Amino acid sequence: QVQLAESGGGLVQAGDSLRLSCAASGRTFSDYAMHWFRQAPGKEREFVAAISWRGGRTDYADSVKGRFTISRDNAKNTVYLQMNSLKPEDTAVYYCAAYRTYYSTRPADFGSWGQGTQVTVSS
């Protein structure tokens, strides 16, 4: 299993930007396709973005396409989520997750999660 630790969340206003980071340890980072999910209060965890092992392919939920960018630095064992033009509906706890297969939008496919990082967007 790979251990994951998210950071970079905070309270921002609508239209602002944030960059989330997820540091991985425990296994070879480049063996995993990396994903971001989010969970708002009272809602199910939902897929946000995914990036392939070397970063050559990315995929996004329709709700964030054009605003969010996922990237990774395999030398630093870190995956990022650059979030621009944030909206109040982006408010959620954001989680990263590792998966050997590219890619999955189903939270049940992932065996371990970090503690998450809270993003709150005020209107």
Side-chain angles (χ1 to χ4, degrees):
Q1 292 281 18
V2 60
Q3 286 77 49
L4 304 167
E6 303 90 342
S7 62
L11 172 63
V12 297
Q13 294 186 331
D16 285 351
S17 298
L18 274 177
R19 189 175 82 154
L20 306 183
S21 299
C22 171
S25 62
R27 293 285 185 176
T28 304
F29 181 67
S30 58
D31 285 348
Y32 293 87
M34 297 302 296
H35 299 62
W36 285 97
F37 286 79
R38 67 186 181 186
Q39 189 165 17
K43 294 188 176 181
E44 294 185 351
R45 196 165 296 189
E46 65 175 3
F47 169 77
V48 174
I51 187 167
S52 59
W53 304 268
R54 289 176 175 78
R57 178 179 170 181
T58 58
D59 285 90
Y60 299 91
D62 288 343
S63 58
V64 306
K65 205 170 289 184
R67 300 188 297 121
F68 290 12
T69 303
I70 189 172
S71 61
R72 66 189 295 162
D73 185 338
N74 286 349
K76 296 182 178 180
N77 288 356
T78 302
V79 61
Y80 305 97
L81 186 68
Q82 177 67 42
M83 306 186 295
N84 298 330
S85 303
L86 282 161
K87 304 176 181 180
E89 51 264 44
D90 294 320
T91 295
V93 178
Y94 283 71
Y95 301 89
C96 64
Y99 199 46
R100 288 189 178 272
T101 302
Y102 188 83
Y103 70 101
S104 174
T105 62
R106 304 192 312 163
D109 286 340
F110 296 81
S112 64
W113 301 87
Q115 82 287 350
T117 186
Q118 176 72 48
V119 172
T120 303
V121 184
S122 63
S123 57

